[in-house]
Amino acid sequence: QSVLTQPPSASGTPGQRVTISCSGSSSNIGSNYVYWYQQLPGTAPKLLIYRNDQRPSGVPDRFSGSKSGTSASLAISGLRSEDEADYYCAAWDDSLSGEVFGTGTKVTVL
Amino acid sequence: QVQLVESGGGLVKPGGSLRLSCAASGFTFSDYCMTWIRQAPGKGLEWVSYISSTGSTIYYADSVKGRFTISRDNAKNTLFLQMNSLRAEDTAVYYCARVATVTMVYFDYWGQGILVTVSS
């Protein structure tokens, strides 16, 4: 089962700002970097944020990540219809010696 | 450009075996750690296994430990996942992915995924 907890859904109108939380523990988020992935319908996941707050080339600066203690968050500003997707946080877990994913959040653009 | 192409999926009976392959191209395969991640129908992502660039370090999720074996052939630029004693709960789309760096385990390139269905 997922070790990192996310809200199942989030929504907003075009142009709004949406924030997704990711809650973990001292063995994962508390001691390692957080990553975020975007999965558009019917496609493979794509890296969105690495090392807590870094964007790979090609990812719009509308997407931003942050981390504090054992929690992290992803913000999408200037929401667009093409942002409708599932979003997952992830981190290495030292206790499990493995990567753990969040439960996933479905973002809907109203 | 980086490409990862999975193959070997399909329908298998409970208790059966299957071997997945992931053909890599567009980068120096032997320089990168690799991983398998799966996604059950309608569910979230689940990390399955990790292998270092030389194959000397391997990790498994508890859910597959003792049943699945990850391996790689650097001469053939191919990653494998041998799956034995398959169960219905192993039904999922299986993705291979490249681990971006040695010091940070995150996945910068993913394959398109291959479906494995375990059913009688």
Side-chain angles (χ1 to χ4, degrees):
Chain A
Q1 71 272 8
S2 299
V3 174
L4 307 181
T5 302
Q6 300 177 233
S9 63
S11 63
T13 56
Q16 277 191 327
R17 176 185 170 93
V18 167
T19 302
I20 300 168
S21 61
C22 174
S23 178
S25 67
S26 58
S27 64
N28 42 65
I29 293 178
S31 50
N32 294 295
Y33 291 117
V34 177
Y35 312 101
W36 289 89
Y37 300 90
Q38 176 194 57
Q39 187 175 32
L40 297 170
T43 70
K46 166 193 162 185
L47 178 67
L48 201 62
I49 296 288
Y50 67 99
R51 203 175 165 183
N52 299 335
D53 57 9
Q54 300 298 301
R55 284 184 307 276
S57 60
V59 173
D61 59 6
R62 303 185 294 103
F63 295 91
S64 61
S66 64
K67 170 186 150 177
S68 178
T70 59
S71 294
S73 62
L74 173 73
I76 310 172
S77 59
L79 194 64
R80 303 177 66 157
S81 58
E82 57 259 40
D83 299 333
E84 277 209 343
D86 294 323
Y87 293 83
Y88 296 90
C89 58
W92 184 262
D93 191 294
D94 294 331
S95 297
L96 299 175
S97 292
E99 190 82 349
V100 290
F101 283 97
T103 48
T105 299
K106 183 175 183 61
V107 169
T108 301
V109 182
L110 302 171
Chain B
Q1 72 282 20
V2 173
Q3 275 201 312
L4 299 169
V5 180
E6 302 93 341
S7 61
L11 175 63
V12 61
K13 289 182 168 53
S17 298
L18 213 53
R19 188 194 200 202
L20 302 183
S21 299
C22 172
S25 60
F27 65 103
T28 305
F29 182 70
S30 58
D31 285 348
Y32 287 85
C33 307
M34 298 292 294
T35 197
W36 288 98
I37 294 153
R38 69 184 180 182
Q39 185 170 33
K43 302 297 184 181
L45 301 173
E46 180 188 14
W47 171 79
V48 173
S49 184
Y50 161 108
I51 186 167
S52 63
S53 58
T54 62
S56 60
T57 300
I58 287 174
Y59 299 110
Y60 296 102
D62 287 344
S63 58
V64 306
K65 205 171 292 183
R67 301 187 299 121
F68 289 13
T69 301
I70 192 171
S71 62
R72 62 192 297 161
D73 184 335
N74 285 344
K76 295 184 177 179
N77 295 337
T78 305
L79 174 72
F80 302 102
L81 185 68
Q82 176 67 42
M83 304 185 295
N84 299 332
S85 303
L86 282 162
R87 306 165 179 167
E89 53 265 35
D90 295 319
T91 294
V93 172
Y94 285 74
Y95 297 99
C96 69
R98 189 179 83 167
V99 181
T101 77
V102 174
T103 55
M104 290 183 284
V105 180
Y106 66 97
F107 318 120
D108 58 353
Y109 288 94
W110 298 60
Q112 83 286 355
I114 191 83
L115 178 62
V116 171
T117 303
V118 184
S119 175
S120 53

